[in-house]
Every structure is written in structure tokens, then in C-alpha cells.
Amino acid sequence: MNRHDAAGPEQLALLPQQVVSRYLTDGVRSGSEVPPIVALQRASKPLSDTGARWATAHVRRLLDVAMERFDGRPTQADAWLAPRLHATIRMTRAEAAEPELWAFLAMVVAPDYVVWRHKGTAGKDGSSPAATVDRFFGPHYKQAFARLWWAAEMFRDGEDYRPVVVACGTQDMVNSVLRLSVIDHRPTARALVRVLENLTAVNASVLGDRMNAVSSAVNAAGSTLMYEVIAPDSRLDVEDLMAWIKAAEDEVPVDEESLPDGPNDGAVPRAAVDTLTRYFEELAAEAPIRDRKRMKDGDQ
């Protein structure tokens, strides 16, 4: 299944987990079957808001472009797609925390993208390569589209998506760091990206393993240290965020070549980022790099 050719819905909706479980067959996960779009749409719950920000057309276009542009190298699509997906589906964190929304996108709008991006390789038992269930309906750090939206939300610096591109260019930043509770603190997220940038600048070896070790150390230290105290964040401008969301009604599709602008709700305080970067680099110097096996295909 190279693309999703069945007639799809015009707007996003909510798809309950029990419906996903009923129709998410091995064939759908491997891409050899197309989900029953009509049945899934009937079982979905419409959103109370029918604004343009929930339209599927722009999202579908982005996914088609990503599959064409990154044909044969799907992991590299994350850095390109994450900021553009975030700028296209404009919503609050509360709205983005709804797993049924992401399930609808994965099962009804773009199951082909989920398979293309996450199907991995054939199993040792000879089974066909397939995306795991949690790529269709799972936690925000595993679900195929939620992980990208939340990566953009957590790693952006106000309206600047450039840190998102850096973060999503290293799979461990999405697969490991995104699931940490300390990442909710914006200076912590920004400082981790700064550490990644500094390691990249000196051509550090096993970059992914190093960031995994650093993030583990940061999370462990965060259980006893209050990052909010030593590196306070500024208050987000909720009015600007809501204005950015509302502007989706009049925005044209995001550009394929240049980064879009995120919500101008406040940059991360530079002094806080500098403080944590220095501290995290000290942790990095001491953090043991485990001789771990390379990531399984399902974690890519």
C-alpha cells in the first residue's frame, strides 16, 4: 500500500480505542490491507469545533510530500515533518492530549504513512514487517503522529522551530527524551537540545547513545533537584497562543522548503538555558554510556 487512495474525511474526528482494536489487523499494520474507512468514520465521534484547523487536506498533503521526499529513508522525515505538522494542526496541549484524535489520523486519514514510517523489517520468524499497535493508538511518545506534534511543542523556542529540527534529527531525542517528565520544563528541553548541538559540533561518537545517557542522568537528577528553581521559565503568553490557533482559519498551507512560524507565546529564557546547559554538560561528562544493542526497528 503506497498511499491511502480510499476517499477520506474532510475533518479530523475522535476514534475510540475499542474501535481501533477491532479493525487494526495484522494486514493493516503491515500495509497489505486498507482499513475499512467507511466503518471507521461511522464509529468516530465528531469534534465540537469544525474550524479549518481540523481539516485533513493540508495534513494529507504534508504526508504525501514526506513519503516522496524521504523515500527509502523514513526516519529522516521526522525532522522535516514535526514542525510542519505542529503548525498545521494548531491546538492547545489539552486538545493534543486526546489519544482518540491521533488514532483517527493514523487509522482513517493516513494508515499508509504509519506503515511507511514504522513498519521496520521482517521478523526472525519470517513474519512480514509491520508497524506496532502503539504507532496507531499509543502514548504520546510512541504514536506515529502524536510523537511528532509533541516533539515540536516541547522542543520549540517560542515561534522558532529550529531546535525541533535538531532534536528530531536524532532518534533518541524523540524515543527517549520525549517520555521524560522533566521535559515539560521548557528550559530543560531547550538545554538538552543545546547539549546535542554541542556534541554534534565536536563530532562526538555514538551520538544517540550519548544523548540517551545524558537524558537518563538529567531525569534522575531532576527527581531531587528543582529545575524550575535553578532555571525558572517565563510565563507563556496564552493570548498569543490562542491568536496563533485562531489564525489557522486564514493561513495558507505551510511551505515545503522554509520552516513555518510557531506561536509567538514567549521565547525560553536564555539565562535559564545557559544555566542548565552547563549543568547538563557536567552530567554528560560523568554519565556512563551503556554498551546497548542498537534500537529495535519498532523503536525507530
Side-chain angles (χ1 to χ4, degrees):
M1 180 173 63
N2 294 323
R3 64 170 280 124
H4 186 54
D5 291 320
E10 294 183 356
Q11 286 204 314
L12 295 174
L14 304 175
L15 186 63
Q17 182 176 12
Q18 61 268 28
V19 180
V20 176
S21 300
R22 187 186 315 157
Y23 292 109
L24 186 55
T25 64
D26 291 345
V28 170
R29 294 194 299 108
S30 67
S32 62
E33 297 176 5
V34 177
I37 302 303
V38 174
L40 289 170
Q41 287 186 253
R42 288 175 178 170
S44 300
K45 299 175 291 185
L47 296 169
S48 57
D49 178 6
T50 58
R53 64 192 177 114
W54 305 117
T56 62
H58 295 331
V59 177
R60 185 66 241 188
R61 180 188 67 85
L62 281 177
L63 302 180
D64 288 338
V65 171
M67 287 189 286
E68 180 178 355
R69 177 174 293 214
F70 299 98
D71 184 28
R73 38 197 185 98
T75 59
Q76 295 181 28
D78 289 354
W80 182 87
L81 183 57
R84 290 169 175 82
L85 182 70
H86 186 273
T88 298
I89 309 179
R90 300 187 181 188
M91 54 185 154
T92 64
R93 289 189 177 188
E95 291 171 326
E98 176 52 77
E100 294 182 353
L101 177 73
W102 301 114
F104 185 89
L105 180 55
M107 286 289 291
V108 182
V109 179
D112 56 325
Y113 186 88
V114 180
V115 173
W116 175 82
R117 173 61 185 84
H118 294 289
K119 68 179 179 180
T121 57
K124 294 181 179 179
D125 59 355
S127 58
S128 300
T132 56
V133 171
D134 54 15
R135 299 301 188 182
F136 291 87
F137 194 107
H140 74 280
Y141 53 85
K142 290 287 287 186
Q143 204 276 345
F145 301 111
R147 65 192 284 273
L148 297 178
W149 193 96
W150 281 101
E153 175 66 13
M154 295 302 188
F155 293 121
R156 68 182 175 88
D157 189 357
E159 63 181 344
D160 185 1
Y161 283 124
R162 286 177 297 177
V164 178
V165 176
V166 174
C168 292
T170 300
Q171 287 300 300
D172 282 270
M173 288 292 286
V174 182
N175 295 332
S176 300
V177 175
L178 194 59
R179 70 183 68 196
L180 305 180
S181 59
V182 293
I183 210 67
D184 290 337
H185 182 235
R186 294 197 307 156
T188 294
R190 185 69 188 91
L192 281 169
V193 176
R194 182 85 64 78
V195 171
L196 173 60
E197 290 173 324
N198 293 343
L199 287 172
T200 302
V202 297
N203 295 316
S205 60
V206 289
L207 188 60
D209 290 354
R210 288 182 184 276
M211 287 309 303
N212 190 64
V214 172
S215 63
S216 296
V218 167
N219 197 54
S223 63
T224 55
L225 293 175
M226 294 292 290
Y227 292 143
E228 295 88 347
V229 174
I230 63 175
D233 195 1
S234 58
R235 184 182 296 274
L236 291 174
D237 191 325
V238 178
E239 290 186 1
D240 278 352
L241 171 63
M242 298 311 295
W244 179 78
I245 291 175
K246 185 178 180 180
E249 298 298 317
D250 304 312
E251 292 285 339
V252 297
V254 297
D255 189 81
E256 297 176 13
E257 303 302 331
S258 59
L259 280 176
D261 291 328
N264 189 20
D265 53 358
V268 183
R270 183 174 297 275
V273 176
D274 291 342
T275 296
L276 289 181
T277 299
R278 288 192 295 270
Y279 179 59
F280 292 169
E281 288 186 332
E282 292 176 3
L283 292 177
E286 300 174 359
I289 301 176
R290 292 182 294 152
D291 183 18
R292 61 185 177 122
K293 294 181 180 179
R294 302 313 306 161
M295 291 182 294
K296 296 180 181 179
D297 290 331
D299 290 333
Q300 293 183 355

